[in-house]
Structure formats: C-alpha cells, structure tokens
Amino acid sequence: MEFKIENIAIDSRIPEGPVAEKWTNYKAHQKLVNPANKRKLDIIVVGTGLAGASAASTLAEMGFNVLNFCIQDSPRRAHSIAAQGGINAAKNYQNDGDSVYRLFYDTVKGGDYRAREANVYRLAEVSNNIIDQCVAQGVPFAREYGGLLANRSFGGAQVSRTFYAKGQTGQQLLLGAYSSLNRQIELGKVKSYNRYEMHDIVMVDGRARGIIAKNLVTGEFEPFAAHAVVIATGGYGNAYFLSTNAMACNCSAAVACYRKGAYFANPAYVQIHPTCIPRHGDKQSKLTLMSESLRNDGRIWVPKKLEDAKALQAGTKLGSDIPEEDRDYYLERRYPAFGNLVPRDVASRAAKERCDKGYGVNNTGQAVFLDFSEAINRLGIDMVRQRYGNLFDMYEEITNVNPGELANTINGEKYYNPMMIYPAIHYTMGGIWVDYELQTSVKGLFAIGECNFSDHGANRLGASALMQGLADGYFVLPFTIQNYLSDQISVPRFSVELPEFKEALAKCKKEQHDLMAIKGKRSVDSIHKELGNIMWEHVGMGRTQEGLMQALDKIKALRKEFETNLFVPGTEEGMNVELDKAFRLRDFITMGELVAYDAINRNESCGGHFREEYQTEEGEAKRDDENYFYVSCWKYAGKDTEVPSFIKEPLKYEAIKVQTRNYKS
C-alpha cells in the first residue's frame, strides 16, 4: 500500500549541545513570563490524571489562570489511579550502579531505539526531582527497615530503581497531585470542571484558543477560551475494546487535535502487557492488570511436556501438580541475563509463542503461570504478602484462587497456587506529535503524558508511565509553555462569542444530532466489540501485511455499519451515556485505521510493533534502521474516510549507539 509522503521539514526544536546539557541550556535561555503578566494569561488543561493534575496545579502555583477539565466525577478517579507497580527514578539508593545515563540508556534500549534521544534524557534527568516532590507531598512510598526509601526492579533494567507504595503506587501519587490541585482550586487559581468531555479544539488565527466541551450531566455543549490548550487525556488502548484501561478512557480529545492539524505520531506502537488476568469469556468489558512488580519474585513457566499442558487445559491437572523438573521457565531459559524481568514486549511475545505451540495452561490455551512457590519457600509468606498482598487479594477476588495458599507437596518440596496470566493491550507509546517543548504541530496546543508520543519509542519500560506523566506536568511543561506564552501577554482574553467558537459549537451539535438520527439496530458496544476483535486479531501482538490489509477493509466496512445501523437510545438532552460512547466509538474507528496504516507502512519489527515477516531465526524483532529510523507522523486529510498523508521526522542519536537489543547476556 502506497502512502502520500509530504516533504515537510519538521522542527522538533531540540536545543544544541551535548545531550546531557540540552535541558540545562534550554532553561538558561528560555523566555519567561513575569508574575504580574502570568495573571493575564489563561491556560486550559484537559485531563486530571497524573500529567493533567500535576500540570494544572503547577501552572496555577506559578500564577497562571487554569481551567481544568475532568471526564470523571472527581480527579481522584483518573485512570492513573490504576497503576500498581511503581515509578522509576535514578536515585541509586541501592548503590547498584544506577545513574541518570543508565536510566536514559535503558529507556532508549527498551523502546527499541525508536524514541527521541533528547526527550528521553530530559525525562531521566528530572526523574529524581519527582521523588523529592512526592515525598514532600506525603506520598507513602515503601521504606527499608532503617527508614530509607525502598526500591525494586522492573523489566528492562538490571538495577533496582522503582519506588513503590505496595501495589497502589498510582493511587498514592494521584492523591499527592490531587491535593496540590485542590489547594489551587481553593485559592481560586484553578477552575475545575468535573464531568466534562472535550469535543473540539477552537482555532483563532491559526492558534488553539479554546475548546468545546460537553457537560455530561446536562448534555449541553459549552465553549471555553484561553491563550493556550494542554491535552493530557491518556492513550488509545480502548480501540481494542478489551484492554487494561478504564472503560471511560478514550482517544477523542487526541483525535479532535488530529482533525485540527496536529500530527499523530507512531500510532502502530501499542504495548501488550505480559501480566494480565486472562480473558474468561465474551461478556467481559475490560481486562485486569497484575502488576509487573510481581515478576521480581514470581517465576513464569509452562509445562515442558505437551501432555501436561493438555491435562491442564482439560482441568485434570493443576499447576501445583507439576514438579519442578517438568516446568519450563522459558524467560529464564531464553534470556538468562534478565530472566523474568525482560521488557514487556519481549515477555509478551514469548508467552504468545509458548501458547501458540500448545503449551498454554488454562481451558482456552491462552495463559501461562506466574508462580511464587520459590519466593515463598525462600522468604516466607509474610514477607511475600508484605510486598504484594493487595495484588494477591485482587487476584483471589477475581479468580477465587489464592496465590499464597499451599496447594501440594512433592518430594518434600512445597508448591503454592500459581497465578495465570496472559498478555493484553495496556499502554500506547504512539500519540500526538510534540516537539521538545511538548507543543504539537498546532500553535498553542500542547500534549503531555501518555497522549503524546515523545519518550518511550516502540515499547515502554515498566514504571515509566508515572514517571513521564509527572515529569511533563511538574518539571517540563511549566518551563516550556512560557516560551510560547511570553509573546502572548499583550493578547487580550478571547470571547466565546467569536465566530470561531460559534462555528465549532454548531458543528458539535450537528454531529450529535446526526448520531441520534441514524436509528439503526446495533448498540454501541456491539460495534465496539467487533472493532476490538478486528484490532486484536490483525493489529495485535503479531501483524502481517495480509492481515493488516484485511483489518483495513473490515474497519472501513464497520465504519459504514456505524454510520448506517447504529442505535443510540434516549435523547440529546440530559445525561446519555450511550450517546457519549457513540462519539468515542466514532473516534476509535478512526484511530484503528491510523494504527493499521502505520503498521502497514513500517516494514520492520520493533518493540510493540511485531511484523511476523520481519523476525530473526530465534523469533526476535528484526529492525530495519536503514529505512525506518524515523518518527512516523500522520497528517489528517480533511475527512475520516480519506487516507492521511505521511511525514518523517528523522531520528538522530548522539550519545547512544544504535544496536540490536540483547537481554541474553
């Protein structure tokens, strides 16, 4: 399939100088806005997760007037709350050889050398500030016996740099950001709009100057104006229907930016998380994540013998019935240097490979074991539960199996109930294209956190999502947005009575009316599930040219089904959850096509993008650095049904040698 390539020179605004000095030099020479002038400037922040809440509170603390929009009934319910395992920082508290450079290197390598080097170094550089900030806020990080902050390991690293609060790290960090946000709301510097969903960006003279947001309680569309707009609305994983994301997570704000001219970068880079509870039927609405932190002490295995796997699938044997010598700890076997702590994309593909060969361990054959027997025998159940107790409880509530319960004794060796896990859609590394200042290709429009593309390349290391969200919100955007706003201080506040706002408002109302007028026979969820099946089957863990072309044909047919046979009950007035979901599904269909286009265009395998035609003899991802060492930027063609054009941002590495990833030695 041929795409129209536009020869546009993309200015990523990366500062000059060595990579370790770029951020320092940038801050030394950036333009500033003085305190009196900050009071004249309004900033819209859409989203209240870790990125949005930290940005809104920090910008308000600096003196800007902030309008903050939350799709949930409270910022405390943002999906950041679901993050379990921890947050990375290069503090080197364990004295095990960590450093800012090593965190930077691990992140670039973990992303399969497809991230922008300068952005990643800055992320590693500010990571240490995040921990100090959160401790000052009272975040209850785990501590060693002597009172020092504790660390544990995560995938893709050989050091312990992950700070954590049991298996509730995201919740505790969000409460810290929420407390800072509440303080600014109380002081009147942040105006908080809960139960509002952004539907459109309003452009005035070529710049983002506001949004149209829907009040999800009254059903009314409302205009809001500001000098700049910041999007912090998360990723697009729910295009696959079944994912580890909360059901309210959607890509509509990002797609609205895309339709207004913001480039969408690397949409093919979708992360499959290796440790999720396997699906158990076709009635599920989402999947549940089991923290990657479990791979510190949990060992992943399948039976060595095919007959044992068949017995497990038939239910005539349990995992605890299989002795040590008949277990294949395949990650330890294939990747001895990293073992169970290989990056997520590597662990996920390895699990799929074993299950495809028939060694899956549940009734569907799509599961592997995560076993804590060795750790419990070594440390004792009390120590293991101290580290992972709430995760064990969560697993038991969902599956009715207690992973800490003694299940069998074979030849004097104690075996405990193992967990069953399988990969699932989790995080999206692709997102809105941003430059070094986190500004999109649309002036005045910024994107932070998971909804931008900038820091993770083709695969995100565990415990780096929280790091990026808080880095962007607390320590990067508050500096870089001033470079844009410094020449906006003489621009008066915008009236929502401007023609541009009225036109955008009328457009949103017409789109809503058109959805209600279809009056077909299919529910939103039935079409969304069909989209999810197409995406998982053809645009999931394993992709082929033929499968991707089939996916595009099916998604285009599904769009027609959506446009002609959708049924939305209720009315346009007041709260209508199905109507809100219909808008999101429309955008998921557009997003699904974007992911497929990007995956077709990238004839290589890297990170979360695995084209089965491009793999080594050992089944590992095979990159093509000569032809694909760039960021894929997709430009809206004017209609959802038209194929977008394509722009390349070449990647330039100065500090790191690009080489084949190796987790074996």
Side-chain angles (χ1 to χ4, degrees), residues 439-609:
Q439 187 169 206
T440 71
S441 52
V442 173
K443 283 187 176 181
L445 180 62
F446 295 77
I448 60 176
E450 187 182 356
C451 76
N452 78 28
F453 89 102
S454 66
D455 290 355
H456 304 299
N459 172 63
R460 177 177 67 77
L461 292 184
S464 287
L466 306 183
M467 177 174 66
Q468 187 212 347
L470 291 180
D472 286 356
Y474 281 138
F475 299 111
V476 180
L477 181 77
F479 288 98
T480 62
I481 199 170
Q482 291 186 76
N483 229 28
Y484 171 77
L485 292 173
S486 61
D487 65 355
Q488 300 293 300
I489 55 178
S490 60
V491 177
R493 287 192 164 90
F494 294 85
S495 168
V496 294
E497 297 302 317
L498 287 171
E500 291 88 347
F501 283 88
K502 290 184 176 181
E503 182 182 326
L505 195 62
K507 171 175 163 286
C508 290
K509 290 179 179 179
K510 182 182 184 303
E511 289 173 347
Q512 177 166 280
H513 182 73
D514 290 346
L515 286 176
M516 292 297 299
I518 296 172
K519 301 296 184 186
K521 296 181 179 179
R522 292 193 60 179
S523 69
V524 174
D525 279 353
S526 73
I527 299 175
H528 195 175
K529 282 183 180 180
E530 187 174 339
L531 173 65
N533 288 334
I534 295 168
M535 295 295 291
W536 180 253
E537 183 68 25
H538 300 296
V539 202
M541 267 196 288
R543 303 165 175 177
T544 64
Q545 177 81 7
E546 180 183 0
L548 290 166
M549 295 302 293
Q550 288 179 23
L552 276 177
D553 290 341
K554 290 180 178 181
I555 294 172
K556 291 179 189 301
L558 193 63
R559 184 192 295 280
K560 290 183 179 178
E561 179 76 356
F562 173 85
E563 293 173 344
T564 59
N565 201 22
L566 176 72
F567 175 69
V568 180
T571 64
E572 294 182 46
E573 293 76 31
M575 182 182 291
N576 188 335
V577 175
E578 289 300 307
L579 178 56
D580 300 332
K581 285 161 58 178
F583 272 112
R584 296 166 198 160
L585 176 56
R586 176 199 64 175
D587 300 330
F588 281 136
I589 292 171
T590 297
M591 195 67 242
E593 285 186 329
L594 259 182
V595 176
Y597 285 138
D598 195 35
I600 289 171
N601 177 68
R602 192 168 282 276
N603 295 316
E604 65 166 354
S605 292
C606 56
H609 167 64

